[in-house]
Amino acid sequence: MKFIKEDLTEQIAAAVAGRKQIVIRGGGTKAFYGNAITHSDQLVELDVTPYAGICSYEPSELVMTARCGTLLSDIEAVLDEQNQRLAWEPPHFGDAATIGGAIATGLAGPGRMAAGGASDFVLGTVLMNAEGQELHFGGTVMKNVAGFDMSRLLTGSMGVFGPILEVSFKVLPKSIANITLLRHCTLREAFECFAQWQARALGISAASWIPQDDTQDGALYVRVSGAEPAVKQARQVLGGELVEEAQAQALWHSLREHTHPFFSDTVWRICVPPLADPVNESMPLVEWGGAQRWLRQVSDVTNIRHAAAQRGGHATLFRAGAGTSQPADGVFHPLSDGVAGITRRLKSNLDPLGTFYSNRLLRNI
């Protein structure tokens, strides 16, 4: 039997009538992300994965619209036929990953440093509220937004305001040429390289320094993308060893999907300006030219968050390994009073009855 939007409307109406809260569930590949859900008889699950399919795709316009339950792998397969791609390289973390989950979490892979994040590519969204109404935000072109860009605000909202039924997003052509270069260096030397390369047009589409056995020594990988002449010229400037293509693809995939051994246990995500000072005594795995840093050892949550804030960033317990408890105030860096106030007003306007479970993103919203 074909799944239609009315099925979701009926499930939401039943939850409202029963005075229950709704937890939105997609493919479940990112269930580890966010605050732990406190299950009770008052919580019901809304599975949005049956609402799937590509609504429209205009390769010449570089725009696609898809329903929330559409598998990321299906979208990427269609784009691949047109030699196009999802430029923010959303992580899957499993075969069941959906475009709805990618937008709801707002996560991005190695290409984020050059192309932008998920919110930079979202053009429009359709949100279903607790009354079963469809709220349309944005559209399918870049210049159609006045006031708040709600589609971007919904990116990373983790279902706080309701299920994102459909999303329109911009795609990009695949790069003509890609190479990955390797140089062995210390963390300090890696940051010196980042500083030298930051202001130069070298076509760097990804960069990562990976520590060796939690020491100052490690390997710096740099991916360069673009036209053949530009890539060749950048290689001469950057130096380093050329990594075989299959090995390079496996590396960037392991960083995107967290299958690299570094991510085998508890991991914290620190986002700071690219050239900010180190924020922890343990050796990080560094991405995005220094802007994203992953840590395995954080003994003092208050200290790491204070250090990140001092440097203009934030710290998140991305994945809690066995025996690791979540911080009392949540896994995400506490919001400033101003941002928290705006979030509460949005929640009040879009979901006044508090139908959609919000503690996974923010506690006491």
Side-chain angles (χ1 to χ4, degrees):
M1 185 176 72
K2 185 177 180 180
F3 188 93
I4 55 178
K5 281 184 281 190
E6 283 71 18
D7 296 318
L8 292 176
T9 304
E10 291 174 2
Q11 292 179 56
I12 292 174
V16 172
R19 297 184 179 180
K20 297 182 184 294
Q21 277 195 310
I22 295 172
V23 175
I24 300 169
R25 182 187 183 280
T29 64
K30 301 171 185 67
F32 65 86
Y33 185 61
N35 297 315
I37 297 175
T38 305
H39 292 281
S40 71
D41 293 338
Q42 295 304 112
L43 286 183
V44 294
E45 190 176 85
L46 180 68
D47 183 3
V48 298
T49 54
Y51 190 60
I54 295 174
C55 303
S56 64
Y57 174 37
E58 298 293 339
S60 61
E61 299 295 328
L62 300 174
V63 172
M64 177 182 284
T65 300
R67 299 185 180 101
C68 56
T70 311
L71 294 177
L72 278 179
S73 57
D74 288 347
I75 290 174
E76 290 169 340
V78 172
L79 292 176
D80 190 61
E81 293 176 357
Q82 299 295 328
N83 202 34
Q84 294 178 353
R85 63 193 174 97
L86 297 174
W88 75 95
E89 299 182 27
H92 294 211
F93 298 137
D95 295 337
T98 63
I99 187 63
I103 301 304
T105 56
L107 301 176
R112 167 68 176 83
M113 68 170 289
S119 63
D120 296 305
F121 291 88
V122 173
L123 302 174
T125 52
V126 178
L127 181 77
M128 181 171 281
N129 66 13
E131 297 177 357
Q133 299 172 325
E134 294 179 30
L135 307 181
H136 293 251
F137 303 109
T140 58
V141 295
M142 293 297 290
K143 297 181 179 179
N144 65 348
V145 177
F148 284 116
D149 188 345
M150 283 300 302
S151 294
R152 293 193 178 194
L153 286 173
L154 291 176
T155 305
S157 62
M158 304 278 285
V160 165
F161 308 114
I164 300 173
L165 294 183
E166 298 173 12
V167 57
S168 298
F169 48 92
K170 186 176 180 62
V171 300
L172 291 182
K174 289 185 177 181
S175 302
I176 296 174
N178 292 281
I179 63 170
T180 296
L181 302 171
L182 162 66
R183 65 167 63 189
H184 297 280
C185 63
T186 64
L187 178 61
R188 180 181 60 80
E189 290 169 340
F191 274 99
E192 289 175 354
C193 290
F194 294 149
Q196 294 172 11
W197 300 336
Q198 191 176 46
R200 305 189 64 176
L202 295 171
I204 297 176
S205 60
S208 179
W209 183 83
I210 303 174
Q212 179 180 345
D213 300 325
D214 204 32
T215 69
Q216 285 283 344
D217 294 320
L220 173 60
Y221 293 91
V222 182
R223 186 177 69 193
V224 183
S225 306
E228 291 276 7
V231 169
K232 289 181 180 179
Q233 184 176 5
R235 180 184 176 184
Q236 294 176 351
V237 174
L238 295 169
E241 308 169 21
L242 182 65
V243 180
E244 193 271 332
E245 183 178 358
Q247 180 183 349
Q249 289 181 356
L251 168 75
W252 298 116
H253 183 272
S254 73
L255 294 177
R256 187 190 78 179
E257 300 300 329
H258 283 197
T259 56
H260 190 281
F262 185 92
F263 302 103
S264 60
D265 199 5
T266 299
V267 61
W268 279 76
R269 177 180 184 246
I270 315 297
C271 289
V272 291
L275 303 180
D277 294 335
V279 297
N280 189 267
E281 64 277 3
S282 67
M283 284 298 103
L285 186 152
V286 179
E287 291 190 276
W288 302 356
Q292 179 168 256
R293 307 173 190 183
W294 301 96
L295 297 173
R296 292 183 292 192
Q297 299 176 21
V298 172
S299 56
D300 189 333
V301 174
T302 301
N303 180 64
I304 194 66
R305 285 181 168 166
H306 177 70
Q310 278 191 320
R311 291 158 176 78
H314 52 85
T316 298
L317 176 55
F318 190 83
R319 189 194 299 264
T324 300
S325 59
Q326 295 187 346
D329 55 354
V331 301
F332 296 108
H333 200 109
L335 297 178
S336 66
D337 292 340
V339 174
I342 292 173
T343 305
R344 290 191 181 95
R345 289 196 293 273
L346 281 172
K347 177 68 172 175
S348 177
N349 287 327
L350 293 173
D351 183 24
L353 298 179
T355 300
F356 298 104
Y357 186 80
S358 58
N359 280 7
R360 188 179 171 194
L361 178 66
L362 296 169
R363 293 179 176 174
N364 303 316
I365 192 175

